[in-house]
Amino acid sequence: MTDTKTLPALPPASAEDLALIAGFEQAMWLEEGLSANTREAYARDLADLARWRALGSAQGDSLRTLTAIDVSRYISERLSSVRATSLNRKLSTLRRYFGWLIRQGQRMDDPCGQVKTARAPARFPKAPSEAQVEALLAAPSTDTPLGLRDKTMLELIYASGLRVSELIGLRMVNVSLTEGLVRVTGKGDKERLVPYGQEAGHWLTRYLQESRPLILGGRLADAVFVGQHGGAITRQYFWQLIGRYAGAAGIDFKLSPHGLRHAFATHLLNHGADLRAVQMLLGHADISTTQVYTHVARDRLKRIHAQHHPRA
């Protein structure tokens, strides 16, 4: 499958279209607080549409006046070979853009209204088993300050289901040892409180009391997890840590920080957690995002049925 970045080059977008895109991008920041990465992705999608329109393929004289026929032709000519997930993301951009125009009173209808979402194949996240996670958590040596730090990071991300950006972004003011909670800022700059349990709390307390002061060596830092130079741990560095400890634990597939987040959700559901509760813990704005895990709940119910029903 190809994506639009591999398609033939298009002429530049018009100044009017670029101004519309800039206005939409700014509105997504002011009205909805979307992250810079999300806004840039929206702008790229709309810029591709604007360049296609500049070919003269569309009846509309700007991105403000495109018709349903224009949108259908754009999808057919420009997006027919992209993956279903990429197509749906681009359609989401267009719907959001035309919805903004409607709210602004710049048009009355959504030309994407009759466009159907593409059916994407089910993709279940690869999550390590509970035994594999136990082996991973046992891999760091807690006899050294850095080993204790690494152990604590792994325990906390598994116990709380944090995104890697949320983990490395933790500041000392975000941690409550007495309440067993961390305050994290997730996607869309939305804050949430996440519990981490007794085991992770034990290692977090030890790290903060024993290891972090030694790593800092008298320096001051706001970040919870720090490197030898006193700065916060980077995403890349944490990826390397997980890869190294996964190898030491005998995990035979490439494990990522997101894989531990998947393990957090999967293991909660395996032990009877409610999908809505998992949604809140993960910080998903929409339950549909969490529903990728419903296959876990179905498998668990099948096992319960097979084990306990007299005619299973």
Side-chain angles (χ1 to χ4, degrees), residues 200-212:
H202 164 75
W203 292 106
L204 186 57
T205 301
R206 273 197 60 186
Y207 162 71
L208 293 177
Q209 292 177 350
E210 304 172 19
S211 178
R212 187 174 181 273

Side-chain angles (χ1 to χ4, degrees), residues 3-13 47-48 50-52 54-55 57 78:
D3 211 333
T4 50
K5 63 183 179 181
T6 63
L7 293 173
L10 293 173
D48 187 78
R51 290 193 296 269
W52 174 83
L55 279 175
S57 302
R78 194 73 179 154

